[in-house]
Amino acid sequence: MARRIFFFILTNIMILLTIGIVLSLITTLTGFEWYLTGDGINLLSLLIFSAIVGFTGAFMSLAMSRWMAKKMMGVHVLDPDGPLSPRERMIVEKVHRLSRAAGLTHMPEVGIYQSPEVNAFATGPTKKRSLVAVSTGLLDTMDDDAVEGVLAHEVAHIANGDMVTMTLLQGVINTFVVFLARVIAFAASRFVREDLQPVVHFIAIIVFQLLFSILGSIVVMAYSRYREFHADRGGADLAGKDKMIHALSSLKAYVNRVDDSQQALQTLKINNKQSLSKLFASHPDLDERIRRLEAR
């Protein structure tokens, strides 16, 4: 669910900031910025530079997504050939069966992580190196049919190649983030004394790059919401329309049961009805998702 997008965007921002800080430090120490000329900025050179940095950051984020998810969530990867509990065996078999039905030739890694929240996510750099993970809270809360619907939804994300297409989108956004941050930083540095210009330029790049990265995440979230409808349809094709609707209805019932403090968090993730939360929500409103499936 929201974890897949959260880890990708967080990793992307960290990598992009790290690259930006290193390059800005090198520039500050050496006094050399190859896209700057005596008359100002060579916009074409800066655009090429921004694209290289932006897509490098996006693809590095994609490459690290599965590793980051495992480390940050404490995912225990289940060995299909090793000793497993009946519940673990059931999860592995469901994911593998759904993956074969989706036409995947390499089975995703399957993992479980300890958390009371009702959640699941799929991530990974390619269809051959993917991960499907579910929380213990989801397994304890949902019945077998609802769990299958959730797993089918996550497998559909992998089969649809959503992480790769999101990476390409993130690369474009990163390009504009790097480009605009440096243009504005250059303009801001012209308003201070010449001896302070390198420092102001360095600080402005970091500040505006972080600000534009956060604003850019709104576009990524909008694309994520669009792809959720496709994953719902894919999940319905794999597990059956009734199971997919049942999974979403079970998720809605869970959201309605949580207390007020938890409700705010869950609303942001999967049931965004508030106007502000819609901008940063990775998933569309549950009622709308159920309505679209019922109308198929």
Side-chain angles (χ1 to χ4, degrees):
M1 296 177 187
R3 294 293 183 183
R4 174 176 57 91
I5 312 302
F6 170 76
F7 287 127
F8 178 73
I9 291 179
L10 177 62
T11 305
N12 178 78
I13 291 176
M14 291 172 60
I15 290 175
L16 205 61
L17 275 179
T18 301
I19 294 175
I21 291 173
V22 171
L23 291 177
S24 296
L25 281 174
I26 293 174
T27 300
T28 302
L29 294 175
T30 62
F32 175 71
E33 190 77 87
W34 62 276
Y35 57 80
L36 296 181
T37 67
D39 299 326
I41 299 178
N42 184 322
L43 294 179
L44 179 59
S45 296
L46 177 57
L47 185 59
I48 295 172
F49 167 83
S50 301
I52 293 173
V53 173
F55 278 90
T56 297
F59 279 103
M60 287 179 66
S61 302
L62 179 65
M64 295 175 62
S65 59
R66 186 173 63 162
W67 177 83
M68 282 282 291
K70 290 178 183 178
K71 294 299 181 182
M72 294 186 69
M73 299 302 301
V75 175
H76 169 61
V77 177
L78 305 177
D79 181 2
D81 300 320
L84 298 174
S85 69
R87 182 168 75 169
E88 292 172 339
R89 177 66 62 186
M90 180 267 292
I91 296 299
V92 171
E93 289 178 351
K94 282 184 181 294
V95 171
H96 286 188
R97 175 171 53 81
L98 293 166
S99 298
R100 286 191 292 269
L104 298 178
T105 56
H106 290 74
M107 296 299 101
E109 286 186 328
V110 182
I112 296 176
Y113 63 97
Q114 296 290 327
S115 173
E117 68 176 359
V118 174
N119 209 344
F121 64 88
T123 189
T126 66
K127 293 181 182 181
K128 294 181 179 180
R129 298 178 58 222
S130 57
L131 166 71
V132 174
V134 297
S135 70
T136 52
L138 183 143
L139 297 178
D140 293 338
T141 301
M142 290 189 172
D143 61 31
D144 189 65
D145 284 348
V147 169
E148 184 166 347
V150 169
L151 294 176
H153 175 94
E154 301 305 333
V155 169
H157 274 304
I158 298 172
N160 292 340
D162 284 340
M163 286 302 291
V164 174
T165 54
M166 185 165 293
T167 299
L168 296 175
L169 173 63
Q170 187 68 66
V172 173
I173 292 172
N174 287 352
T175 298
F176 284 100
V177 166
V178 174
F179 181 86
L180 292 175
R182 279 160 174 74
V183 169
I184 296 176
F186 174 80
S189 67
R190 302 301 99 178
F191 289 97
V192 299
R193 299 197 316 263
E194 187 173 349
D195 59 321
L196 293 177
Q197 287 181 1
V199 177
V200 172
H201 188 254
F202 170 77
I203 295 175
I205 284 176
I206 304 306
V207 171
F208 283 107
Q209 195 165 291
L210 179 59
L211 174 62
F212 290 145
S213 292
I214 294 173
L215 293 177
S217 68
I218 294 176
V219 179
V220 177
M221 291 301 189
Y223 177 77
S224 171
R225 293 193 296 272
Y226 167 74
R227 294 306 301 173
E228 285 304 312
F229 291 120
H230 286 264
D232 285 343
R233 291 197 296 271
D237 291 337
L238 294 173
K241 177 179 172 180
D242 291 342
K243 288 183 180 179
M244 191 66 241
I245 292 176
H246 177 54
L248 295 176
S249 299
S250 299
L251 192 56
K252 179 183 175 181
Y254 166 75
V255 170
N256 292 336
R257 286 198 306 268
V258 296
D259 61 33
D260 290 340
S261 62
Q262 290 176 313
Q263 180 70 41
L265 177 61
Q266 295 299 330
T267 296
L268 180 63
K269 288 182 179 179
I270 55 177
N271 200 29
N272 51 301
K273 292 184 178 179
Q274 300 174 15
S275 57
L276 181 61
S277 69
K278 285 183 178 180
L279 291 176
F280 291 96
S282 61
H283 288 58
D285 175 47
L286 282 169
D287 288 329
E288 176 64 14
R289 293 170 67 182
I290 293 172
R291 186 193 66 77
R292 291 198 182 194
L293 280 179
E294 289 176 340
R296 289 189 73 202

